[in-house]
Amino acid sequence: MSDVNKTIQKWHASFKKGTDFDSWGQLVEAIDEYQILARQLQKEAQSTNSSDFTEEQKKTLGKIATCLEMRGTSLQCTQSKEEFKLEDLKKLESIIKNILTFNKEFPFDVQPVPLRKILAPGEEENLELEEEEDAAAGAGATEAFPPRAPDVNGVDLNPVQDTPVATRKEDTYIHFSVDVEIQRHLEKLPKGAAIFFEFKHYKPKKRFTSTKCFAFMEMDEIKPGPIVIELYRKPTDYRRKKLQLLTKKPLYLHLHQTLHKDS
């Protein structure tokens, strides 16, 4: 059996393991399995060196990864109306099993994680890593700000919402598993507004909470479903004028949005 077929077989086994856990009600185990497999598929989808899969096949793998993350989000946020059902996810089993011959339209309107260069061994950059005691679980904050102005700081449209500390840390992922509700109707947000996310951590030695990095969503990015947005270096630039990516590594903020209509 070729290496690529062994890889596909491993992916299929992991997929089946996750959906089995899911159907048995072992949600924590299912979420873990989905996230691990999603990360493997994302890595393959973003690979620039592999010749085992075509660009179209990589795109399909990326879409499967998105669906896995959507199902994991649904299991963590049971009150979400935009849930991705287990029976929908199971429709992808034959696709991942037969990825080399799959040539039909993907059954769900989702997009893969944006492609970013994955650094080859030896090219990895230093990440401004904090001291070990600074690696405490992060906390988040969200704010909405108005249009960019040349010499004026953004005016806060909503009060800052502080979220609880992260629920767990796994590999390069920090899981918050929390719902945040914007306290204003989208129609009442001015043109050019943005929703900011600040990631903070507590520094025991200095006894204060510091912002590690930030991300933001433009108004045209606010729509139902999953979204992946860039992480930028501090300090938070509310005017979005001088943005610097946190790292060249493929690190993102993963969100799932739900829009509510007035009854």
Side-chain angles (χ1 to χ4, degrees), residues 15 37-38 41-42 44-46 55-71 84 89 92 95-96 99 102 104-115 226:
F15 183 94
L37 178 56
L41 298 184
Q42 286 168 354
E44 185 61 50
Q46 295 166 358
E55 290 305 310
E56 195 60 34
Q57 288 166 351
K58 288 181 183 180
K59 189 174 181 181
T60 299
L61 291 173
K63 289 183 177 182
I64 294 173
T66 298
C67 292
L68 288 164
E69 292 190 346
M70 289 171 65
R71 178 57 188 163
F84 195 84
L89 188 65
L92 305 180
I95 297 178
I96 195 170
I99 186 65
F102 177 74
K104 298 178 182 177
E105 187 175 349
F106 199 77
F108 304 107
D109 184 18
V110 298
Q111 293 301 317
V113 173
L115 295 182

Side-chain angles (χ1 to χ4, degrees), residues 137-168:
T142 63
E143 301 177 77
F145 288 87
R148 307 168 202 190
D151 297 309
V152 182
N153 288 329
V155 178
D156 195 355
L157 298 174
N158 287 322
V160 174
Q161 297 185 59
D162 290 317
T163 65
V165 296
T167 57
R168 63 195 174 93

Side-chain angles (χ1 to χ4, degrees), residues 66-135:
T66 298
C67 292
L68 288 164
E69 292 190 346
M70 289 171 65
R71 178 57 188 163
T73 299
S74 294
L75 293 177
Q76 294 178 65
C77 306
T78 53
Q79 72 274 28
S80 173
K81 294 180 181 178
E82 302 291 335
E83 74 168 322
F84 195 84
K85 300 181 184 301
L86 175 58
E87 52 263 38
D88 290 332
L89 188 65
K90 284 185 174 180
K91 294 175 183 177
L92 305 180
E93 183 177 353
S94 62
I95 297 178
I96 195 170
K97 186 178 180 181
N98 303 294
I99 186 65
L100 295 178
T101 56
F102 177 74
N103 58 5
K104 298 178 182 177
E105 187 175 349
F106 199 77
F108 304 107
D109 184 18
V110 298
Q111 293 301 317
V113 173
L115 295 182
R116 289 280 299 277
K117 178 184 176 185
I118 289 187
L119 300 179
E123 293 182 329
E124 298 191 4
E125 66 171 8
N126 294 323
L127 292 184
E128 294 188 351
L129 296 175
E130 302 287 343
E131 296 176 4
E132 189 171 341
E133 67 268 16
D134 291 343

